[in-house]
Each structure stands twice: as C-alpha cells, then as structure tokens.
Amino acid sequence: MSTPPALVDRLKEKAGLVSAVVASVASMDEAIAYVADVCANKEACQILASGCDAPLSDTAEALCETKQQKIVCAPDLPEEDVAKLTALCQERGIAVITKGMRGRLGGIDIAVTMAAAGIAETGTVVVRSTDEEVRLATMIAETHIALLPESAIVADSYDFEPTLVSWMGEPNYTAFITGPSRTADIERVLALGVHGPLEMHILILEGK
Amino acid sequence: MQDAANLSEYRKQLREALENEFQREALDKFAVAYRTSRANAFAGIDAPELINEIAVAKDEAVDHLMELYEEFKRHAEAAGTKVHLAATAREANEIIAAIAKENGVRTIVKSKSMTAEETHLNDHLEAQGLEVTETDLGEWIIQLRHEGPTHMVMPAIHLSRYQVADLFTEVTRKKQDVDIQKLVKVARRELRPKYCQADMGISGANFAIAATGSIGIITNEGNGRLTTTLPRVHVALAGIDKLAPTLHDALRIIKCLPKNATGQNLTSYVTWITGAVPCAVGPEGKKVHHVVFVDNGRLAMAKDPLFKQALRCIRCGACANVCPIYRLVGGHKYGHVYIGAIGLVATYFFHGRDKAKNLVQNCLNCGACKAVCAAGIDLPTMIKEVHARIQDEEGHPLYSSAAGMVLKNRTLFHTMLKSARVMQKPVAGGGYLRHLPMFLFKDHDFRALPAIADEAFRDRWEKIRPRVAKADIKVALFSGCVQDFVYPEQMEAAVAVIASKPGVAMEYPMGQSCCGLPLMMMGEKKAGRELAAHNMNAIDAAGFDYIVTLCASCASYLKHGYQRLFADDPAMAYKAAQFAHRVMDFSSFVHDVLGMDQEAFTGPSKDVTYHAPCHLCRGLGVTEAPRELLRDAGLNYLPAAEEDVCCGFGGTFSVKFPELSKELLHKKINNLKATGATAMATDCPGCIMQIRGGFEHEGTTFEVRHVAEYLAARLKRG
C-alpha cells in the first residue's frame, strides 16, 4: 500500500518549519548523488564558518586540527551503496568512511544514515542508533542527511509505538531527530548547530 | 536561589530584582511571545483533553510508584543497567560518587537535569575532587557564573549577550565578539573536548518506562546524546515520579511538553536508551549504565491526598512563563531550586520550610499557572495549602490570627467597618481616602484607596428591594464585603438590571459575611472553614435557584473553594456542593439565565475596554458573557492587550507586596490606555478598587465601572 501523498506533504511541511531541508528522490542512486553534491558544494571546511574564526582556548583549537580532508561517514548504508558513494566522492577528493568516528571527534562534514521511520506530525525522522558509529556520526557531522523510505512515514508518534516497544526488548539506543541541533539559551535567539549538526536533510526515497 | 531569612529581607531582594531592567525586558518579551507561540503550537489540538489524559495517567502512575520501580528495575537489569533507589538527595549524590569511584572516573560531563539541581549534585561531586562540566549551553553559562537556573527550560534567560561574551572571554582567555551565533559556536567547540575526555556522563531522564526499563531524554542541543554516548559510564538521575508504565505514557507527554514549555512543536532530539548499549571504550565494548531514582520525599508525597498532584509535574516551566510575578522578578527570586508556581510548592517539600516560608506568600492567586499547567495541577490551591501548613507548624503571625478572629465573627467585623466609616471622616473626600499620614503607608502610595460608603448595601436593601408578586426564579444576592461597604452602588445597579426582568425574586440574606477568601490567602484555614460554614448557614441554598454575586473572587471561592474546604467532611461536603451548584457570577446570570440582550438596552455608542478578572476568566471559565453584554448594551468594546493578566490586586497580596502590586497595576493601566478608550468595565470590585485607585493616583480621568453599572444606566425604561 502506498503512502498517502498528504502524509508525505505533511512531513515535508513540518520538517521545513524546523529548518530541515526535505527533498524527494526517485532512487537510491539519486540519493547518493545528492549526498556527494552536498558535500562537494559545501564550504571547503564548514567548521571554519561554524566557529573556527572564533578565538578559542588552546585545548579546543587542538581538537579541530585533527581534520584534514572532507569526510562523509555512512555507517549503516548497504554495502553496494557505500561502494557507489565512495566512487562518486573519490572523484571529488572526498573521503568516505563507515566507522572510526571516535577518531574524528573534531568534526566531519556529512553523516548519511538510514531513517527507520518518519513521523509526519512533527517532521521527525527515527534513527536506530544502537551502533555507536551511527550515534556519533549523526552528532559529530556538520550536516546530517537521513534517507527515509516513503513507506516508513507514519502520521504520528503513536503509530510508531509498537515498533519502538519491540526494539526496547533488548539494549537499544533510538533517536527521534527533528531538524538540526538548536538552542535559544542566549536571549532566546535561535542558533543552529550547538553540539550537533548545523544542517539536517531528509531525502524521501519514493516508492521505497 | 531565594534564601531570605524573613519577609522584609525577601521584599528587599524583590525590590532589587525589580531594578534589573535587562531581566524585566527579557521576561516581558518572553511572556508576550509565549502566549502566541503556545497557541500556535496547540492549533488543531484539543489541549484540555490532552492535559486531562496526562493528569489521569500521571495520577494512576503516582499511586503505583514502587510497583513501577520494581518493574523498571527488572527490565533494565535484564538489559545490563544497574538501578538504584536513593531515599534522600544526599544518598543519591553518594551513590553517584561511589559509581564514579568504582569506575576510576576523574572527569564528568553533564546534560541538563533539574533533579541534579535539586540534590546539588555538582557540589557533592566537586567536593570529591571530580571535575564536572555542564554541557547544555544555558547550564554551562550559569555553572561558569556559579549561580542557579532562573527558568526550568531556559536557565540563563536572565543574562544578556554582553554578559555571555564577557564570560566566554574570561573562559577562553581570548576576546569574544558580542554575537550570539558566534558565542554558540564557541561553546560548541570549547565543550567538544570535554565530552572527548570525560570518563562519565550524567543525564537526567524525562521518562523512565517501567514496561521496558528504558529512559527517555528530551533535548534541543544534542548534548544529551553526546553525554550518553562518548564517556564509558552513563548515569541517569531521575525523581521516582518520572516512572511511567509504558512508552505510550511518555509519547503522550511529549505531545504536550515542548509545546507547553516554549511553544515548540517538538524538541530536536528525543533519545530512548534501553540497557547497556555498545560503547567502544567501555568494558567488553559496552556502556557501564546506571539509573538512580531519588525519592527525597516523593513517595510520602504520593500518599498525601492533596499534594500527590504535584508529582504530576512534567517540568515544562509553563507555570513560570505565565506568572505575572515571575515576569517581574525572575527565577532567582521566584524559587529556590524549582522555579515558578510548582517551585513554590516543591521548595517546601524538597528544600524545607525555611526556604519556602517567604516564597510561598508571594502568590496573587490569579490562577494563570493552573490554567496553563500541562498536567492540570491545581497550583494556587497547593501554594495556599503550603502556606497554611507552614503557619500551623511555625505559629500564625499576630495580624493573621487576628484577621481570622475578626472575620469569622460577622457582628464584630461589620461593627469595625462601620466605626471605620466614622473614623475616616477627616480624610475621606470624593469617595477616596485622602491626606492619609503616608509615613504609615510608605509603600502603598501607588493607588488612591476608596472611602467606606455612607450607607452599606445591607442598610439600603429594605428601601430598594423589588417586590415580586409571582416568582419564577429565586435569587439570593451575595454582596461580598467590598460591594456591601465600599461600592454599594454596584449592588444597586445589579438589582435594577435583574429587576427589569419580571418574575425574578431577590433576597439579601442579612447573616452573610465575608466569603473567606482573604483568610485562605493568609493561610488561616481553620477560621476560613468556620466562616464558610457561617455563610452556608446564613444563605440556605435549598431555598434558592441561584446565589448571584457581582464579585468574581467571591463567586469563584464560593463555587470551588468551599467544596475544597469540606472535602474531608461528608455532611458539610453535601452542603458545600448544594451551595456551590447555585453560585453564579452576575454577567453569566444576566446573559445566560435571564437571556438579556440588545432588546433590553438603549443608549448612544461609547468606547469601553474591559479587564477580565482572574477569578472570572480562569476561576469560573467565564469569558464571553460580559463582553457580549457590553456589546448588547450598545457599547463599543475595545479589547485591551493582556486583558486576562492580573491587575495586581490579589486581595491581601497587594498589602503584603505593594512593590509588586504597583508594577502590575502600572502595566494594566498602560494596556487599558493603549486601547484609546477612556472607560473600562469589569466584573470584580477588587479589580475596580485597584484600577480606579491607580488612575486616580496618577490623575488620569478614566471611568472604571462594574458591568452592572453600565447595564443599569442603559436599561430601556418601560
């Protein structure tokens, strides 16, 4: 049974309201090309724009110097898709990794992960993050791109409840992610990218 | 962190807080913005129904906390989590320090936890030589400043970007720009190494789900995810009231919490953790995972028939967002650790009588907190009850017990009022008390006080009472003290309006006295009960169809307060219910029962604005009747901004905290003037006394009258 277009539209609308970028793609190949493009078009080192020009204490400066090259981390994509992504990125001088995030805590450019579900009511994606690499990649990356199969979109959180309850039967770490990391702790002024991603993209995989 | 030794010291602190212009402006802006963003967030959602579902579910859980704890422990331990229950705050801190010790922990990162603030966890850990870093931006800022939060979800709302830039300059030893976006990035990068180095992460938990042994954490910044992921040890600290039977209970609360907290649809992150999850640097590649529940009086509270309600709290902070007093003085003076209305209650239970005794008196009883509460907690009633309990424990102040003695004796009270009328002669003029020796009333010189009327309503009644041959509806009039002795003309106007409809027989039972609300405000519960019983005896409810009053505060108290007073006494509870069912405010009676509309009135159009009394719009839920009556009477009703925000009277509140009352009155007057009207209607003589006195004091001509007076003046003569 196909997902009602109204549900897809609602997810797009609600995610857009919280500064997420939402796009539909016709195939996994298109999604992979999108990821490579976002990374290629991104500032050479977005981290610079996100605060490297700000004078920091010496410890904080030191951590940033660990990053040399543009990096995409794809911790939970199917192997053949990682291979395609790697090929596309190589041409553009971008490294693709699937693990080793603990060695990259200064920052990476992109995390691309699967989303287990989308919740239309709030523009949320559900990311299974029991694998530590997924957890770290989606927090350390400046841009998180979540690939959401259209059929995994539900109307509200209650619809996703049975699945999450079944996951909770064993050690599990699940994230509901709604837009990029944000704060309004200084004078209630919205700022994106406090501890996590500055950008959040949702790619809806049509017909999947 | 409010910790004044006595009321006068507390008032001094409040006056200092009033002078903090940045904070006042920040909180003003927030209060206004919150109103709109909350309404937008709940658009298309049946908020009262959602709130009711949360209340019912929380009540059910609170009745079974220990069973839920056992169930949680069983599931969590099966998944590799160690679960602890600490009886006291200190015990919780010790458990966490011991976990740190047995795991060789030296550095700790923390994500936001109000419970850790409650137990003063950081102090305890730091005393053991551990380095603790808060990672929520606001919490980090206040940690660096060595102060407590001023709001439960926006801990640094009292600080400006300039203060933060100075602070960050100090921390990084590099000059920082005054640019919020840049400052946030500085925090991002300064805190990142802290996560990398930390041996242990401490988080709170918004939910502990018994059915699966999982915890749920709500954050926006993502610091909760890093805190629970990078270090090899994770300890979650939660009040035992955070236990919920199922995931569904948590999902339900999430539908409400962010919307109610800041008008946000959902936070950026909701994190669900079950058991010891993979962790590359942990023993055997797994996280060392502990959940520490703290009782700290909660289990006993769960058995208290009134205060168990406080355990419904989901810590959204909305009760502060809408509190007119919080908005003036901020969280450091409007709470000890917990802030806002729930803070006034929680302080007594978690941090003791000494910290609560001044704080708890600082409540207008305006009901704004109750109306916005995500779990439908009757906060004003609990605040008054805490006050009453403290007075019972510490002894009642002389003025308070004296008031109790006088008010419960109607003859004595009314004789005193009549003597005051004679005594005031030298200072009374034009309806106000003038030339008062102001050194006696130093802080009260912000409004003109009315004089006591020459003839009380009760003394006029026989002369004006309408004779009705055939009565279809029998009404008992309840005047309240202010309309009886100060504004009898408002009662007369009401009698004229009601009498214009045939078949309504009115009585004014002479035995009636003060409704008793002032005693409740002063924490004089026992005298209040006696007074309530006296009134229920003086007005035999069974003999009337309606008990009508023009005073919103009396109406709300007669209708809801009396039933609460006698909830534990079946015989009296019946009487109180019988009485309460008949109580109605004047505007509703005239509009809904008598069905009076434009046919009844005549007169030229005129601009009139309105002030919605707290006890009418929230206490009784009456919003449309008075406004429609004004329109029906041919008046051009011009809505005022923040029409339903308290005028600052609050009965005895304005006597106890004149500096706050004055500021609230000032705001009200400015909002009324901004409508362009020069006349205002309302449904409460207390509000009239305050607002009219404010205009009179500043020398502005502005007509302030009861709805009944406008209606009476425009009745078609037939």
Side-chain angles (χ1 to χ4, degrees), chain B residues 180-348:
Chain B
I180 291 174
Q181 300 300 330
K182 284 186 181 170
L183 291 167
V184 168
K185 299 304 181 294
V186 169
R188 173 189 176 95
R189 296 184 61 227
E190 287 297 328
L191 287 167
R192 188 64 64 83
K194 301 284 184 190
Y195 294 112
C196 301
Q197 292 153 3
D199 305 303
M200 178 158 129
I202 299 177
S203 72
N206 295 88
F207 315 101
I209 298 161
T212 55
S214 314
I215 59 166
I217 306 172
I218 298 177
T219 72
N220 268 316
E221 300 182 2
N223 59 318
R225 297 187 72 209
L226 286 173
T227 300
T228 57
T229 297
L230 281 169
R232 59 194 154 85
V233 184
H234 169 212
V235 179
L237 172 66
I240 195 165
D241 53 310
K242 290 289 172 282
L243 279 160
T246 66
L247 174 63
H248 193 77
D249 296 293
L251 293 174
R252 184 193 296 117
I253 290 174
I254 291 171
K255 282 178 187 282
C256 188
L257 199 158
K259 294 184 181 76
N260 218 45
T262 56
Q264 193 182 5
N265 199 16
L266 181 60
T267 50
S268 296
Y269 302 102
V270 181
T271 301
W272 304 102
I273 304 173
T274 311
V277 292
C279 174
V281 293
E284 296 167 30
K286 280 190 201 161
K287 179 80 78 183
V288 176
H289 192 222
H290 293 261
V291 175
V292 179
F293 289 103
V294 61
D295 170 358
N296 208 20
R298 288 169 172 83
L299 290 171
M301 224 168 151
K303 296 198 169 65
D304 184 312
L306 177 64
F307 286 105
K308 62 178 274 194
Q309 245 193 50
L311 296 175
R312 287 183 193 164
C313 176
I314 61 168
R315 307 280 186 258
C316 68
C319 56
N321 299 354
V322 298
C323 174
I325 303 172
Y326 171 81
R327 180 173 166 180
L328 289 177
V329 302
H332 283 156
K333 300 298 163 236
Y334 208 59
H336 180 65
V337 168
Y338 290 106
I339 292 154
I342 192 69
L344 268 55
V345 177
T347 299
Y348 172 71

Side-chain angles (χ1 to χ4, degrees), chain A:
Chain A
M1 213 172 71
S2 65
T3 309
L7 211 55
V8 180
D9 290 345
R10 188 162 166 79
L11 180 119
K12 286 183 172 176
E13 179 210 333
K14 294 293 179 181
L17 288 174
V18 290
S19 321
V21 179
V22 193
S24 290
V25 289
S27 65
M28 196 64 177
D29 286 352
E30 204 180 300
I32 287 165
Y34 180 103
V35 174
D37 282 347
V38 169
C39 193
N41 296 334
K42 197 167 170 283
E43 288 293 317
C45 184
Q46 180 82 25
I47 292 174
L48 281 170
S50 70
C52 270
D53 54 339
L56 293 182
S57 65
D58 299 338
T59 347
E61 286 286 12
L63 186 66
C64 270
E65 280 160 17
T66 58
K67 181 177 183 283
Q68 306 287 335
Q69 183 190 10
K70 278 191 191 173
I71 299 167
V72 175
C73 182
D76 68 349
L77 257 53
E79 260 178 57
E80 69 268 25
D81 295 319
V82 174
K84 285 180 191 164
L85 179 64
T86 309
L88 262 184
C89 285
Q90 240 166 10
E91 297 166 12
R92 312 192 194 191
I94 302 165
V96 175
I97 59 171
T98 56
K99 55 183 191 294
M101 281 308 303
R102 277 193 183 260
R104 311 268 180 195
L105 297 176
I108 61 165
D109 293 280
I110 309 257
V112 51
T113 68
M114 297 306 296
I119 300 172
E121 181 194 25
T122 46
T124 302
V125 291
V126 178
V127 178
R128 293 189 81 157
S129 330
T130 307
D131 177 354
E132 192 180 72
E133 300 291 354
V134 175
R135 244 182 288 157
L136 288 175
T138 54
M139 282 309 293
I140 300 300
E142 294 188 340
T143 301
H144 174 204
I145 303 177
L147 310 183
L148 171 64
E150 194 180 57
S151 63
I153 300 175
V154 296
D156 81 357
S157 60
Y158 292 161
D159 296 328
F160 184 67
E161 188 184 330
T163 311
L164 184 53
V165 168
S166 72
W167 293 354
M168 286 171 164
E170 55 185 39
N172 177 271
Y173 196 115
T174 297
F176 285 5
I177 302 179
T178 309
S181 157
R182 65 183 58 222
T183 189
D185 272 353
I186 306 176
E187 294 191 12
R188 289 177 48 250
V189 173
L190 176 67
L192 299 180
V194 205
H195 297 289
L198 290 90
E199 279 186 35
M200 166 83 201
H201 296 234
I202 303 172
L203 292 186
I204 299 172
L205 301 167
E206 287 171 349
K208 295 271 177 186

Side-chain angles (χ1 to χ4, degrees), chain B residues 573-638:
Chain B
Y574 171 78
K575 240 186 141 174
Q578 186 187 48
F579 190 85
H581 292 159
R582 286 162 172 76
V583 171
M584 192 177 270
D585 65 284
F586 169 80
S587 283
S588 298
F589 179 71
V590 170
H591 185 266
D592 304 347
V593 177
L594 299 186
M596 288 179 75
D597 56 20
Q598 53 199 32
E599 296 303 312
F601 305 104
T602 181
S605 177
K606 167 178 168 171
D607 291 345
V608 173
T609 185
Y610 183 70
H611 162 67
C614 302
H615 295 155
L616 189 77
C617 66
R618 287 179 292 274
L620 295 171
V622 175
T623 55
E624 296 317 305
R627 292 171 172 100
E628 280 171 24
L629 283 171
L630 293 176
R631 290 195 196 96
D632 285 346
L635 295 159
N636 182 33
Y637 158 56
L638 299 175

